[in-house]
Amino acid sequence: QVQLVESGGGLVQAGGSLRLSCAVSGSIASINAMGWYRQGPGKQRELVAIVTSGGSTNYADSVKGRFTISRDNAKNTVFLQMNSLKPEDTAVYYCNADLIRIYPFVQAYWGQGTQVTVSS
C-alpha cells in the first residue's frame, strides 16, 4: 500500500520559517511530479509548488521568492522550505505525487495534510 507521510507543520510567527517534508512509501515503480497544495479556511485547495522528476519547478505567484520546493529521489521525499511566512499562508498543506506502480499507469496520491499556522 502506498502512503505519503507529511511532517514539519506547526505554529510560527510572521516572518518565520518552516520546512515541510513528505515521504512516499510502499511498492512503486517511479515517481513523476511531486507537489504541495494548500487549503486555507473557507478557500479552495490551491497549488503552491511543484517539481518534476527532472527537477523543474513551478510556484504560485503568492509564494515566489519565499518558498522553495526540492526533492530527494533516492529517498522518495519532497520538501517545501517556507521562509518569510505571512498570516495568509495559514492553511492545511497537502503533499501530492504522481506515482507509477505498474507501467504505464500514473495515479495521483495525496498525503493526509499538515497544518501550518502563521500568527501576526
Side-chain angles (χ1 to χ4, degrees):
Q1 184 166 346
V2 174
Q3 283 189 309
L4 276 62
V5 179
E6 299 148 346
S7 60
L11 173 65
V12 65
Q13 288 188 331
S17 298
L18 283 174
R19 180 177 170 88
L20 305 182
S21 300
C22 173
V24 179
S25 64
S27 177
I28 59 174
S30 65
I31 304 175
N32 287 352
M34 303 181 80
W36 289 94
Y37 292 71
R38 68 185 181 188
Q39 187 165 14
K43 297 181 180 180
Q44 290 188 329
R45 190 174 297 190
E46 63 176 358
L47 174 67
V48 176
I50 192 167
V51 57
T52 69
S53 57
S56 297
T57 58
N58 196 24
Y59 296 90
D61 288 342
S62 59
V63 307
K64 282 180 181 177
R66 300 188 297 122
F67 291 11
T68 302
I69 190 170
S70 61
R71 63 192 282 174
D72 183 336
N73 290 329
K75 296 182 178 180
N76 291 340
T77 301
V78 64
F79 306 95
L80 185 67
Q81 178 66 44
M82 304 185 293
N83 299 327
S84 302
L85 282 160
K86 304 175 181 180
E88 51 264 43
D89 294 318
T90 295
V92 178
Y93 284 70
Y94 296 92
C95 172
N96 170 270
D98 290 336
L99 306 180
I100 297 177
R101 301 191 68 191
I102 300 175
Y103 285 102
F105 304 104
V106 181
Q107 186 173 354
Y109 286 81
W110 293 87
Q112 79 283 1
T114 184
Q115 177 70 46
V116 171
T117 303
V118 184
S119 62
S120 57

